[in-house]
């Protein structure tokens, strides 16, 4: 699964993207975030306040209960500030 | 019906003229240009030296095209244009151009405002401001969410 991080999530995690093999038992975005939070202090800090974390799967906005499939592109980012 | 996400600046006159040149049924063209301000609106009033826009290539284009399609479904538009820049910009630089052409002004004005309101809450861009006190990410504003929500509740903004 390809994971992308933008803006301050990128700088806190220290990566713009990575490819991961998901452990068993991870079936939703919420599961994925829970797993990522355990991967190091940068991840834990970036994902400490989920009210300011937005998620897109395959470039469409989704909610935390969205199911994940192998091969999905999952992006985590702060609320957007374009315009 | 054109969306451009680009690093380089654009020629305002040329961009607007190209929208209406071949369609003489167009009676009105409304446009909005967003610019980099030099004043930081937050707690410290230090001047903004630069603003760097990051975006999500691929999703940005998809979201802008979806927003544009939604505007076309809501108003009788003859032409629309969205140009959004990314990369490092300085105060006074153009960030975004939204333009809508229609037979009559009401649709052009309304669609233009709709595109900007939705763009601000849906297009995956993030702004990193550099001021005298350092760099910080611009936080999303509740007022932008409210501006976008008005279009769903049937209220006229």
């Amino acid at each position: 699964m390809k994971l992308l991080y933008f803006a301050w999530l990128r700088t806190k995690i220290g990566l713009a993207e990575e490819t991961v093999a998901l452990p068993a038992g991870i079936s939703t975005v919420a599961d994925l975030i829970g797993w990522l939070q355990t991967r190091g202090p940068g991840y834990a800090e970036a994902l400490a306040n989920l009210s300011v974390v937005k998620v897109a799967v395959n470039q469409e906005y989704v909610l935390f209960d969205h199911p994940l499939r192998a091969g999905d592109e999952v992006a985590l980012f702060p609320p957007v500030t374009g315009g | 019906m054109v969306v451009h996400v680009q690093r380089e600046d654009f020629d305002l006159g040329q961009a607007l003229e190209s929208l209406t040149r071949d369609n003489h049924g167009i009676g009105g063209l409304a446009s909005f240009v967003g610019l980099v301000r030099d004043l930081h609106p937050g707690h410290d009033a230090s001047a903004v030296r630069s603003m760097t826009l990051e975006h999500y290539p691929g999703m940005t284009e998809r979201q802008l095209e979806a927003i544009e399609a939604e505007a076309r479904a809501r108003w009788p538009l003859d032409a629309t244009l969205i140009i959004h820049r990314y990369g490092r910009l300085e105060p006074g630089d153009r960030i975004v151009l939204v333009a809508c052409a229609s037979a009559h002004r009401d649709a052009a004005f309304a669609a233009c405002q709709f595109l900007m309101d939705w763009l601000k809450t849906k297009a995956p861009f993030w702004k990193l401001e550099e001021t005298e006190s350092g760099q910080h990410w611009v936080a999303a504003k509740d007022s932008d969410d409210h501006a976008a929500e008005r279009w769903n509740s049937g209220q006229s903004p």
Side-chain angles (χ1 to χ4, degrees):
Chain A
M1 176 173 287
K2 187 176 179 185
L3 305 180
L4 303 174
Y5 311 114
F6 292 96
W8 53 257
L9 272 105
R10 172 176 56 74
T11 57
K12 286 181 177 179
I13 290 171
L15 287 173
E17 63 177 86
E18 60 182 325
T19 301
V20 298
L22 287 189
I26 291 188
S27 60
T28 67
V29 167
D31 296 339
L32 172 68
I33 289 174
W35 175 66
L36 287 173
Q37 285 167 333
T38 68
R39 294 185 76 213
Y43 290 91
E45 192 192 341
L47 299 168
N49 178 5
L50 297 183
S51 70
V52 287
V53 174
K54 301 290 180 186
V55 185
V57 172
N58 300 325
Q59 306 189 350
E60 297 288 345
Y61 288 103
V62 299
L63 299 176
F64 287 177
D65 61 359
H66 185 83
L68 293 177
R69 285 176 305 198
D72 278 345
E73 175 177 298
V74 182
L76 303 176
F77 47 78
V80 302
T81 56
Chain B
M1 321 305 173
V2 182
V3 168
H4 293 297
V5 180
Q6 62 190 48
R7 188 178 287 276
E8 56 275 13
D9 195 13
F10 46 87
D11 183 308
L12 209 43
Q14 205 172 46
L16 296 179
E17 275 172 27
S18 68
L19 264 192
T20 60
R21 190 175 295 140
D22 300 324
N23 184 347
H24 296 168
I26 292 171
L29 171 63
S31 66
F32 174 86
V33 180
L35 305 166
V36 179
R37 274 184 305 178
D38 64 358
L39 260 192
H40 179 246
H43 39 88
D44 71 345
S46 57
V48 172
R49 289 177 177 160
S50 75
M51 176 180 280
T52 301
L53 280 114
E54 176 175 334
H55 78 114
Y56 181 176
M59 181 171 174
T60 306
E61 290 83 353
R62 271 172 87 140
Q63 288 295 317
L64 293 178
E65 283 162 11
I67 294 164
E68 198 174 43
E70 179 66 28
R72 289 204 306 271
R74 291 180 182 222
W75 291 279
L77 300 174
D78 290 281
T80 60
L81 172 64
I82 301 174
I83 303 177
H84 205 303
R85 296 178 67 194
Y86 62 89
R88 187 178 184 280
L89 303 174
E90 294 182 349
D93 283 350
R94 287 180 275 269
I95 304 170
V96 62
L97 166 66
V98 164
C100 297
S102 184
H104 302 289
R105 70 180 183 282
D106 288 353
F109 275 131
C112 200
Q113 188 169 8
F114 169 85
L115 284 177
M116 273 311 300
D117 286 347
W118 271 35
L119 182 157
K120 277 188 111 49
T121 58
K122 291 180 185 291
F125 285 95
W126 303 275
K127 290 171 175 160
L128 179 66
E129 277 185 349
E130 185 196 346
T131 68
E132 284 146 34
S133 61
Q135 291 186 329
H136 60 268
W137 292 96
V138 175
K141 292 202 282 276
D142 286 344
S143 58
D144 288 336
D145 286 335
H146 297 148
E149 281 163 14
R150 288 175 306 188
W151 296 99
N152 285 332
S153 62
Q155 285 175 264
S156 201

